[in-house]
Amino acid sequence: MSEPDLVTLHPGPDDYVHTFGTRPPLTTVRPGTIVELTTEDCFGGAVRGFGDLPSQVCVFPYLNPVTGPIAVAGAEPGDTLAVHFVEITPARDWGVSSTFPHFGALTATHTTAMLHPPLEERVWLYEIDVATGVCRFRARTGDFTVDLPLDPMHGTVGVAPAAGETLMSITPGAHGGNLDTPEMRAGTTAYFRVNVEGALLAIGDGHARQGEGEVCGTAVETAMRTVVVVDLIKGGGPAWPRLESDGHLISTGSARPLEDAFRISQHDLVGWTRDLLGLDELDAYQLVSQAGLAPAANVCDTNYTMVAKLPKRLLGPVRAYDGMHEHLRAVGAAYLHRR
Amino acid sequence: MSEPDLVTLHPGPDDYVHTFGTRPPLTTVRPGTIVELTTEDCFGGAVRGFGDLPSQVCVFPYLNPVTGPIAVAGAEPGDTLAVHFVEITPARDWGVSSTFPHFGALTATHTTAMLHPPLEERVWLYEIDVATGVCRFRARTGDFTVDLPLDPMHGTVGVAPAAGETLMSITPGAHGGNLDTPEMRAGTTAYFRVNVEGALLAIGDGHARQGEGEVCGTAVETAMRTVVVVDLIKGGGPAWPRLESDGHLISTGSARPLEDAFRISQHDLVGWTRDLLGLDELDAYQLVSQAGLAPAANVCDTNYTMVAKLPKRLLGPVRAYDGMHEHLRAVGAAYLHRR
Amino acid sequence: MSEPDLVTLHPGPDDYVHTFGTRPPLTTVRPGTIVELTTEDCFGGAVRGFGDLPSQVCVFPYLNPVTGPIAVAGAEPGDTLAVHFVEITPARDWGVSSTFPHFGALTATHTTAMLHPPLEERVWLYEIDVATGVCRFRARTGDFTVDLPLDPMHGTVGVAPAAGETLMSITPGAHGGNLDTPEMRAGTTAYFRVNVEGALLAIGDGHARQGEGEVCGTAVETAMRTVVVVDLIKGGGPAWPRLESDGHLISTGSARPLEDAFRISQHDLVGWTRDLLGLDELDAYQLVSQAGLAPAANVCDTNYTMVAKLPKRLLGPVRAYDGMHEHLRAVGAAYLHRR
Amino acid sequence: MSEPDLVTLHPGPDDYVHTFGTRPPLTTVRPGTIVELTTEDCFGGAVRGFGDLPSQVCVFPYLNPVTGPIAVAGAEPGDTLAVHFVEITPARDWGVSSTFPHFGALTATHTTAMLHPPLEERVWLYEIDVATGVCRFRARTGDFTVDLPLDPMHGTVGVAPAAGETLMSITPGAHGGNLDTPEMRAGTTAYFRVNVEGALLAIGDGHARQGEGEVCGTAVETAMRTVVVVDLIKGGGPAWPRLESDGHLISTGSARPLEDAFRISQHDLVGWTRDLLGLDELDAYQLVSQAGLAPAANVCDTNYTMVAKLPKRLLGPVRAYDGMHEHLRAVGAAYLHRR
């Protein structure tokens, strides 16, 4: 195959976007292009020490900046945008997490409205060591410390929403956005339905690692150096974002209450399995029921996200999206080999 | 007082909007202006007979057209927009309701995703008689018929959302939008927080009447001739839309699950009561707990809406928003007297 | 008609029950019997002053005592127990309300588990004047006071659950129990499906009045002197408790999340309307959608409760349960006239 | 250590129980006893072929039979019952799964009440081969077949509930019951708060394997031969069931909506981590947020269940419950070695 286009995207402070849907593209690429890009953390880099309380140093709604949008030439509504993550590398040797007033799963919020004052707003700093693959947690009180495995991922990946909507970048939905699932790591291909000409992909919210559910509302937030391959499949756009790794098919659902996020993801996985295997729908329902995994992605954002996973080895020789994941995996490997 | 400005707004077929948030204003008015406007029904007038199935004659997302936006001179983020409904009159002698595939409270939806095929899509036509105040229900099967009281209202009233978002007009939220509460009838004043310069008010989705909860997903939908007074209070914008009638203070909350819509509306009403009466917060919580009403508005839209109502006579001589409702009531009465 | 049996039931301190389902009956009555009974308040009468914090003076699970159970001769699983409230009169000249740690709609609870410490536990005392029909709220801080209309009701009315279950009396469900709806006032007939021989009716948790939703978790709690007529319809037991007043048919649903309580109540009302009017199901769905009311009952108990109401005048000459409500109304009126 | 007591429990058809909470114990054992027991499948063994539709061959509420209850001598309210699963082996060479009318995650239910007719009721049969560790799925339509790994577990494990309640065995809750989590496999220790004298442990609902969420409502149901060690810790009873494996601490939460099940499980895991490590609560919240796993257990039962998992290696030398899991692991290993 011919060598793919290579585009680099290093936004300056004023180039970041905080919504999906309106901003004109930063760049337009051809399908198959490799994009090297950088992303800022969800605080816009403003939280750098224990004294930098997010509610004081960040100005709503200028949270969760994303890099993009990237227009993909030829992408039309109903198409499928494939985004393969070749590499996600922390761009700093530190990351940050925090509680935030009335945000998170174990606190009253503006939506789960209660009479409690907010929990204490507190910042944690993590040392990140890419060479050893570690991010180090230190308790703020006492001297407990533990090394957690680095597992870099992007919380926010998505396209322009349907129906002419523009959504805050902190909202996950049918357009992707702030899915906050640890599955969005290097080696994964994400599929999005294209809703507008050019698709308008944007990426941000790098996490050095994240627990399932993102309980306190933030992960180990850090800036990232990320490489993706962006490709296009004409037609076939899935109703909700899908992910594919070497091992799993993964459907996502973002909604409230959490059981609706679960239902959406499982419903999509049943349909995907049905179509790939040519099964009757209830047979697919049965197979997913016995063989599927269902971890929480986030239970803190404006919608909650669940993922539904099925081991690919159960499918036999079938390949999703005509082998797009395997193809992009190879493109990524060639790029890394060349570099 | 001097006679207020009078503006008329009769949009043509291409003037309707299907979102809150982006479109440039159709007109700009001064605070205190009376606006005579017309609205189309939620189907854009396309459903006129039993054979006009909405899913066939309406093209998503071109549903729920709203009239506007109307910019209000001087309105700035954080201000309070007051919209008083002087008159809401059906513009046709018929209304229409329907089921819609995977939409409504007693059906699987795209969010409450299930394996059921959709319920039958069916259209009902109502005869509307403004003179006698009746809209007549006729069963589609059998000959049961009954006259229901006409109680005209607007399902959709709102302003441009915060945070640079643009939302479909069928979504209710902090910006108002498709609240679908029967409380939005003539004689009511609605208060919205202004999020963008000019506020960008839009109104649509007239209902000849609506049950609480809008269970099947649609009300008795009809075009309306509506008169509002639009006014501005500097500052004080409420976090969620509030309504005021001669009898009640009414807070709204729009979210999922439904208990969060309930929590938001009750939380706001507790705060409103606390502030108006100078009460301790727990005292206000107690008063609302024993004296409040809590009917469902809609349990079918992309967010669900609950309202929380407190009889104003419990407040004594206190007047909300410095008597804005009483003032606009008088302005409306003078207009009707003049006409 | 012959004069009905009259039974009085005045439990002593050790006679109260805190569950639905196991205890042998206090008494067995024939269908049609009038029962004069007394009930304690939900705190077992232990909260009598500002210093009597419920979490200190009440011992879990000995909350919400109910009077009963009353066995009804001949009642078999699948039958319908009809309970008509002739009179509900506060037995004290004071009532009490309170916040309670981690209980209520606007606080973290043991189920909606969060890291917040509980809200302040505080007691409010109300003066009750049966003669003038007033219960007087006094703020704990400041001197605000207001007279609220007395509207006595029972929060807890139910029968033994199905499937051999025994449930705490604070749980609402298909067996009734702690529905906490203001609709359970004098003049109302409640219908329950019989699940065990004798039905095992119990009644408690009198409220001098209650707001819709019972937001803070407690109403104006007081002891009651109550008169009911208990009757039996063979067969026809409704899946969920139904209420009937002179004006309305009322279905209930108790579940979480709140939209499921809403769905249950609306689903039942659609079915009830369909059956009474001989309508096609979608026609009944449509009628309820446009003519129904949907207030919250409670959004604080272990299940939440919504009610769905339809004005009876819309039904024409049809009478529910073969006119049982009208019959019991007459029995109650004759009793009051005799007394 | 001295050899532990060994008790065998092979209930006959009339010995099974369908509730947690009332039945007198089948046997009473001393703490430390090894119990060899057998369990029937959730259909009571009545579904053996494609024509055995559960709704026809099973009589509600006689579903989900459990073996027990087993009283543990000396167990008092507030204590901690430890149940270690030494071995769980399918007792048949086949298992069965099915859809069931109005039961499951992707269907309307009696609680998520809708107007849809039920999905088709269908039975699937699995071949189970204990020697090769396989259970074989065969589609009912077409010839697709795939071998799934055998991963035997118990869906239902619990004790008598608190507050004098008796609950159907299909309900998961604070007493355990029908948690339906794949984590309840051999090698796991479960901890339950004791609510009544003797604790009254019961076990049932064996699954040859189960997907996370148990989407269709049933797993690969089969009879089991199971060995547990039952032990007692005085005091310290956890508010919600906890599990411990060699690798993980696991908290459970059972509630609706699903986010409340998530909240309960995460809240408990934060508290458990806080206590074991002597951390400040917010530090524990932070650690769990970045290092925790959050898979669904079931999203189909009368309550939904989520689990929250933390890798034990993060804790350092600390041992939960004073090393009870390690102790019971050794007891189980000695038993297997002896046998």
Side-chain angles (χ1 to χ4, degrees), chain A residues 54-137:
Chain A
S55 70
Q56 296 177 1
V57 300
C58 298
V59 181
F60 178 83
Y62 300 104
L63 287 166
N64 210 40
V66 289
T67 295
I70 302 166
V72 180
E76 294 171 303
D79 290 347
T80 305
L81 185 74
V83 182
H84 178 74
F85 286 86
V86 178
E87 207 177 43
I88 306 175
T89 310
R92 294 183 181 131
D93 61 1
W94 57 274
V96 62
S97 189
S98 80
T99 49
F100 192 90
H102 291 314
F103 190 74
L106 300 186
T107 171
T109 67
H110 296 294
T111 305
T112 306
M114 296 175 170
L115 297 174
H116 297 284
L119 299 179
E120 181 197 328
E121 188 173 5
R122 192 186 288 183
V123 168
W124 289 263
L125 296 174
Y126 288 76
E127 298 152 57
I128 294 175
D129 187 333
V130 171
T132 58
V134 159
C135 68
R136 177 165 299 172
F137 168 74

Side-chain angles (χ1 to χ4, degrees), chain A residues 1-6 32-36 86 227 229 330-339:
Chain A
M1 62 193 175
S2 69
E3 205 161 301
D5 290 358
L6 181 63
T33 298
I34 294 174
V35 184
E36 298 172 336
V86 178
V227 181
V229 196
V331 171
Y335 161 86
L336 291 174
H337 186 259
R338 266 197 318 276
R339 197 178 54 179

Side-chain angles (χ1 to χ4, degrees), chain A residues 134-181:
Chain A
V134 159
C135 68
R136 177 165 299 172
F137 168 74
R138 288 184 192 281
R140 286 290 308 273
T141 302
D143 57 4
F144 180 82
T145 181
V146 66
D147 284 356
L148 304 177
L150 202 62
D151 185 13
M153 49 155 282
H154 278 286
T156 309
V157 186
V159 296
E165 288 201 312
T166 301
L167 299 175
M168 290 187 294
S169 63
I170 60 171
T171 294
H175 71 294
N178 199 23
L179 299 170
D180 277 328
T181 169

Side-chain angles (χ1 to χ4, degrees), chain A residues 1-336:
Chain A
M1 62 193 175
S2 69
E3 205 161 301
D5 290 358
L6 181 63
V7 169
T8 62
L9 204 58
H10 301 303
D14 296 338
D15 294 330
Y16 287 106
V17 198
H18 300 84
T19 53
F20 282 88
T22 42
R23 191 69 73 84
L26 278 192
T27 183
T28 299
V29 303
R30 293 192 301 177
T33 298
I34 294 174
V35 184
E36 298 172 336
L37 57 90
T38 52
T39 61
E40 233 330 331
D41 70 31
C42 72
F43 302 115
V47 179
R48 308 178 77 91
F50 296 150
D52 297 328
L53 297 187
S55 70
Q56 296 177 1
V57 300
C58 298
V59 181
F60 178 83
Y62 300 104
L63 287 166
N64 210 40
V66 289
T67 295
I70 302 166
V72 180
E76 294 171 303
D79 290 347
T80 305
L81 185 74
V83 182
H84 178 74
F85 286 86
V86 178
E87 207 177 43
I88 306 175
T89 310
R92 294 183 181 131
D93 61 1
W94 57 274
V96 62
S97 189
S98 80
T99 49
F100 192 90
H102 291 314
F103 190 74
L106 300 186
T107 171
T109 67
H110 296 294
T111 305
T112 306
M114 296 175 170
L115 297 174
H116 297 284
L119 299 179
E120 181 197 328
E121 188 173 5
R122 192 186 288 183
V123 168
W124 289 263
L125 296 174
Y126 288 76
E127 298 152 57
I128 294 175
D129 187 333
V130 171
T132 58
V134 159
C135 68
R136 177 165 299 172
F137 168 74
R138 288 184 192 281
R140 286 290 308 273
T141 302
D143 57 4
F144 180 82
T145 181
V146 66
D147 284 356
L148 304 177
L150 202 62
D151 185 13
M153 49 155 282
H154 278 286
T156 309
V157 186
V159 296
E165 288 201 312
T166 301
L167 299 175
M168 290 187 294
S169 63
I170 60 171
T171 294
H175 71 294
N178 199 23
L179 299 170
D180 277 328
T181 169
E183 308 288 348
M184 199 75 86
R185 58 171 65 88
T188 300
T189 304
Y191 303 99
F192 301 93
R193 186 186 187 281
V194 176
N195 299 304
V196 303
E197 300 288 320
L200 299 184
L201 171 70
I203 298 174
D205 190 25
H207 298 163
R209 69 168 288 117
Q210 180 205 307
E212 290 172 356
E214 205 180 12
V215 194
C216 81
T218 56
V220 183
E221 313 286 340
T222 195
M224 290 289 177
R225 279 192 288 269
T226 293
V227 181
V228 295
V229 196
V230 177
D231 214 334
L232 185 68
I233 301 163
K234 292 306 290 181
W240 290 85
R242 290 173 172 176
L243 280 67
E244 185 177 358
S245 66
D246 289 356
H248 291 89
L249 300 182
I250 304 171
S251 291
T252 71
S254 298
R256 291 187 178 200
L258 188 59
E259 55 260 44
D260 276 357
F262 174 86
R263 285 180 179 122
I264 291 167
S265 64
Q266 296 287 333
H267 183 270
D268 185 78
L269 187 59
V270 168
W272 197 3
T273 303
R274 177 199 61 208
D275 293 347
L276 280 174
L277 293 177
L279 288 180
D280 169 274
E281 187 166 82
L282 286 187
D283 280 333
Y285 188 29
Q286 174 63 213
L287 179 57
V288 166
S289 295
Q290 309 315 340
L293 301 175
N298 86 75
V299 192
C300 60
D301 293 319
T302 47
N303 288 316
Y304 304 141
T305 304
M306 292 288 292
V307 306
K309 301 174 61 172
L310 196 68
K312 285 164 71 174
R313 60 180 170 68
L314 301 182
L315 304 179
V318 173
R319 295 194 310 168
Y321 291 104
D322 210 18
M324 177 58 84
H325 172 72
E326 292 76 7
H327 167 64
L328 296 181
R329 200 86 168 93
V331 171
Y335 161 86
L336 291 174

Side-chain angles (χ1 to χ4, degrees), chain C residues 90-112:
Chain C
R92 293 182 183 132
D93 61 0
W94 56 274
V96 61
S97 188
S98 81
T99 48
F100 192 91
H102 291 314
F103 190 73
L106 299 186
T107 170
T109 67
H110 296 294
T111 305
T112 306

Side-chain angles (χ1 to χ4, degrees), chain B residues 290, chain C residues 40-43 47 64 92 94-98 124 126 128 155 180 204-210 214 217-224:
Chain B
Q290 309 315 340
Chain C
E40 235 325 334
D41 70 31
C42 73
F43 302 116
V47 179
N64 209 40
R92 293 182 183 132
W94 56 274
V96 61
S97 188
S98 81
W124 288 262
Y126 288 75
I128 293 175
D180 277 329
D205 191 25
H207 298 164
R209 66 169 291 119
Q210 180 206 304
E214 206 181 13
T218 55
V220 183
E221 312 286 340
T222 195
M224 290 289 178

Side-chain angles (χ1 to χ4, degrees), chain C residues 6 12-13 18 44-45 48 62 79 86 119 147 151-152 154 184 198-199 218-219 243 245 254-255 280 317 325 330 336:
Chain C
L6 180 63
H18 301 84
R48 307 179 77 90
Y62 300 104
D79 289 347
V86 179
L119 299 179
D147 285 356
D151 186 13
H154 278 286
M184 198 74 86
T218 55
L243 279 67
S245 64
S254 297
D280 169 276
H325 172 72
L336 291 174

